[in-house]
Amino acid sequence: MKIAFIGLGNMGSPMASNLVKAGHNVTVFDLVESAMQALESEGAGRADSAQAATQGADVVISMLPAGVHVKSLYLGRDGAPGLLEALEDDASNITPLIVDASTISPEDARTVAAAAREKGFTWLDAPVSGGVGGAKAGALTFIVGGSAEGFEQAKPVLDVMGKNVFHAGENGAGQVAKICNNMLLGILMSGTAEALALGVKNGMDPAVLSEIMKQSSGGNWALNGYNPWPGVMEGAAAGRDYEGGFLTDLMAKDLGLAWELALGSKSTVPMGSQARNLFALHSAQGNGGLDFSSIQKLYREGE
Amino acid sequence: MKIAFIGLGNMGSPMASNLVKAGHNVTVFDLVESAMQALESEGAGRADSAQAATQGADVVISMLPAGVHVKSLYLGRDGAPGLLEALEDDASNITPLIVDASTISPEDARTVAAAAREKGFTWLDAPVSGGVGGAKAGALTFIVGGSAEGFEQAKPVLDVMGKNVFHAGENGAGQVAKICNNMLLGILMSGTAEALALGVKNGMDPAVLSEIMKQSSGGNWALNGYNPWPGVMEGAAAGRDYEGGFLTDLMAKDLGLAWELALGSKSTVPMGSQARNLFALHSAQGNGGLDFSSIQKLYREGE
């Protein structure tokens, strides 16, 4: 299958790499020259523009930092035409399927999807969870919003990069589900860090308390595989001074998206709101570039 | 084994019943006559006072509503002697093991444990989780604080009533671990309810969103077996108008114990604090007698 891949950041590079390894004909584009060179050395083709990368493609995949980049790419900016227009004008194109794996607001996703639909293209929002490790291992979770037909069409390609591929609903639902999940994750992680700190301050061993809560009604994803207390769990970010992993600033970004979603829908999110403030505070204290489980440090100052 | 069981409430009655079924010689005492009659009909002996119940007992187990009751029972009140004094005076007694399964403050637990130790008795704090369903099924989790020897001695008896029996540490640690766990549970449940409500307000199907989060990084105990959204999970309290189960008022009590623990240890608990306020508000709105997963209703008012 001929695949165009746009956006070779920390996530996009290993995702594109897995598509190459699976034998697909992948053409990449990124603004960073070295990222394209790396993919080229693995067997991908490279193009000088997003438009050029998508010529004759069956599937277009994009993985960009935020909504503003996704809108620029597809809808254009400052009078320059976007990719949707270029795809329409490309006589060699056979109406490709478009999958955007970026995490953006549901509103932005619906805007771009509607513009694509007008031109007869199927556009899916397919944000991922699983981080850089999941991307490298081809073990990401894709949460897809868009038509059922589009989902079925995309699934074999997403299966190459992911372990779980969910259909969340219509366009925007992929982003809504991802935002809800990551809000809950922010709540779980800060709550788990808080419970561990409370126990330790009252004489408990963090490993014993972790084991008890994991097997009791406090059990959650953080305790199962991402324990925030240093030394409790082998391989967790806490054991390497919180280097790498899913960054505090990305969690703060996702919790900010949850605020926007709550504002737009007149929802109340007291727990997510508290978590957002904690991660934003933690970032303001200089921890934005650490793994988000470093929120544990916020509870340990002055110990 | 000769066991005295004091306190036949919603939890104590099925716990005592399981001890009888396992062939132990159980003598019960409660202030409520009908509760004693029910246990008597199952084969337990009954006594006219806590003191009488414990005569010649190998093990004394108590299951009472709050710290004030536990202190009254063991230490006495208004000049009347407590059970510790009575046990000391009882010539027929062979220094019984004492297990208090009530959920009380760690401070109260340490106070009573110290008084017991002075008289040469082993006293364990062994709060449970698992609720009435767990008590009936003999599937409770016991979280035990006290000496390692006392723990080993108590374990075979606790195994009759529970599925998991943890040794958390010294006296008081059982209560600390339970409070930390239940604070985290309150955070998980309110956070899960909040994430579901945010998704549904933005067009998601609650069952689809639940499944996605359960298998992603939002996964937690509530999503696994106690989903708060009506109709998503068979057998959950949400499906029977939140009748029965673990009551809102009990969750509010446990979150209040977390506040006390945080105050005493100068800990910061922003997430647990928010959860406590939500459950207290939910109780103030008349939902104290409903299962705690009814916190979902707080997010659905005005829908």
Side-chain angles (χ1 to χ4, degrees):
Chain A
M1 207 176 273
K2 186 159 165 33
I3 299 174
F5 202 106
I6 321 247
L8 300 173
N10 289 337
M11 295 293 292
S13 287
M15 289 165 71
S17 177
N18 281 326
L19 290 171
V20 172
K21 279 179 203 143
H24 289 295
N25 177 1
V26 181
T27 304
V28 301
F29 175 71
D30 193 277
L31 295 173
V32 177
E33 175 67 22
S34 59
M36 285 204 284
Q37 281 170 356
L39 259 295
E40 202 177 12
S41 73
E42 295 183 25
R46 53 176 285 182
D48 290 334
S49 69
Q51 281 78 359
T54 60
Q55 281 216 329
D58 303 305
V59 182
V60 174
I61 301 175
S62 53
M63 187 58 169
L64 301 171
V68 59
H69 311 102
V70 174
K71 284 196 289 186
S72 289
L73 174 66
Y74 289 103
L75 308 179
R77 188 180 54 178
D78 303 333
L83 196 51
L84 293 180
E85 204 168 314
L87 287 169
E88 199 178 26
D89 295 343
D90 179 5
S92 73
N93 232 306
I94 48 156
T95 322
L97 171 70
I98 310 172
V99 180
D100 179 53
S102 320
T103 293
I104 63 178
S105 75
E107 202 186 331
D108 284 347
R110 290 191 197 107
T111 300
V112 181
R117 203 178 305 120
E118 253 180 40
K119 297 192 189 299
F121 300 136
T122 299
W123 193 94
L124 304 174
D125 46 299
V128 302
S129 80
V132 174
K136 285 183 180 161
L140 292 169
T141 295
F142 284 89
I143 311 179
V144 182
S147 68
E149 298 76 28
F151 175 76
E152 290 307 327
Q153 224 184 318
K155 195 170 180 304
V157 178
L158 301 183
D159 280 338
V160 172
M161 301 178 282
K163 197 174 57 178
N164 293 304
V165 181
F166 295 108
H167 187 212
E170 292 305 307
N171 274 124
Q175 300 294 349
V176 170
K178 162 126 197 221
I179 290 170
C180 291
N181 180 75
N182 280 23
M183 182 180 82
L184 186 49
L185 172 59
I187 293 168
L188 299 186
M189 184 55 83
S190 50
T192 298
E194 185 171 310
L196 287 172
L198 181 64
V200 169
K201 273 222 173 169
N202 285 279
M204 294 283 309
D205 177 304
V208 170
L209 180 55
S210 293
E211 189 60 24
I212 291 172
M213 295 196 298
K214 191 172 90 172
Q215 295 195 42
S216 303
S217 49
N220 69 75
W221 183 88
L223 286 172
N224 286 343
Y226 218 103
N227 196 300
W229 198 281
V232 169
M233 184 173 285
E234 217 169 312
R240 47 173 196 271
D241 289 333
Y242 304 107
E243 292 298 329
F246 180 55
L247 304 190
T248 295
D249 276 347
L250 289 175
M251 174 49 82
K253 173 202 165 192
D254 287 355
L255 289 165
L257 288 172
W259 270 23
E260 283 179 20
L261 196 61
L263 273 171
S265 57
K266 294 186 179 158
S267 298
T268 180
V269 288
M271 300 299 291
S273 182
Q274 188 76 294
R276 188 263 160 196
N277 283 330
L278 292 172
F279 281 100
L281 176 66
H282 187 51
S283 175
Q285 290 183 346
N287 302 296
L290 295 181
D291 180 77
F292 81 122
S293 65
S294 65
I295 192 76
Q296 186 70 72
K297 286 170 48 156
L298 192 63
Y299 294 90
R300 301 185 67 190
E301 292 304 319
E303 242 182 34
Chain B
M1 206 177 272
K2 187 158 166 32
I3 299 174
F5 201 106
I6 321 244
L8 301 172
N10 289 336
M11 294 294 292
S13 286
M15 288 166 71
S17 179
N18 280 327
L19 290 170
V20 172
K21 278 179 204 144
H24 289 295
N25 176 3
V26 181
T27 304
V28 301
F29 175 71
D30 193 278
L31 294 173
V32 176
E33 175 66 24
S34 59
M36 284 203 286
Q37 280 170 357
L39 259 295
E40 202 177 13
S41 73
E42 295 182 26
R46 53 176 285 181
D48 290 334
S49 68
Q51 282 76 0
T54 60
Q55 282 218 327
D58 303 303
V59 182
V60 175
I61 301 175
S62 52
M63 186 59 168
L64 301 172
V68 60
H69 311 103
V70 174
K71 285 196 289 188
S72 288
L73 173 68
Y74 289 103
L75 308 180
R77 189 179 54 179
D78 304 333
L83 196 51
L84 293 180
E85 204 167 314
L87 286 169
E88 198 178 29
D89 295 345
D90 180 4
S92 72
N93 231 307
I94 47 153
T95 321
L97 171 69
I98 310 172
V99 181
D100 178 53
S102 320
T103 292
I104 65 179
S105 74
E107 202 186 332
D108 283 347
R110 290 191 197 107
T111 300
V112 180
R117 203 178 305 121
E118 253 180 40
K119 295 190 188 303
F121 300 135
T122 299
W123 194 94
L124 305 173
D125 46 301
V128 302
S129 79
V132 175
K136 284 182 180 162
L140 291 170
T141 295
F142 285 89
I143 311 179
V144 182
S147 67
E149 299 74 30
F151 175 76
E152 290 306 326
Q153 224 183 320
K155 196 171 179 303
V157 178
L158 301 184
D159 279 338
V160 172
M161 301 177 283
K163 197 175 54 177
N164 292 305
V165 181
F166 295 108
H167 187 212
E170 291 306 305
N171 274 124
Q175 300 295 347
V176 170
K178 162 126 198 222
I179 290 170
C180 290
N181 180 74
N182 280 24
M183 182 181 82
L184 187 49
L185 172 59
I187 292 168
L188 299 186
M189 184 56 84
S190 50
T192 298
E194 185 170 308
L196 287 173
L198 181 63
V200 169
K201 274 225 174 168
N202 285 279
M204 294 284 308
D205 178 303
V208 170
L209 179 56
S210 293
E211 188 61 23
I212 290 172
M213 296 195 300
K214 192 172 92 174
Q215 295 195 42
S216 304
S217 49
N220 69 76
W221 184 87
L223 285 172
N224 286 343
Y226 217 103
N227 196 298
W229 198 281
V232 169
M233 186 172 281
E234 218 169 312
R240 45 174 197 271
D241 290 332
Y242 304 108
E243 292 297 330
F246 180 54
L247 304 190
T248 296
D249 276 348
L250 290 175
M251 176 47 83
K253 173 202 164 193
D254 287 356
L255 288 166
L257 288 171
W259 270 22
E260 283 179 19
L261 196 61
L263 273 171
S265 57
K266 294 186 179 158
S267 299
T268 181
V269 288
M271 299 299 292
S273 183
Q274 188 77 294
R276 188 261 160 198
N277 284 330
L278 290 172
F279 280 100
L281 176 65
H282 186 51
S283 175
Q285 290 182 346
N287 302 297
L290 295 181
D291 179 78
F292 82 122
S293 65
S294 66
I295 192 76
Q296 186 71 72
K297 287 169 47 152
L298 192 63
Y299 294 91
R300 300 185 69 190
E301 290 307 317
E303 242 182 34

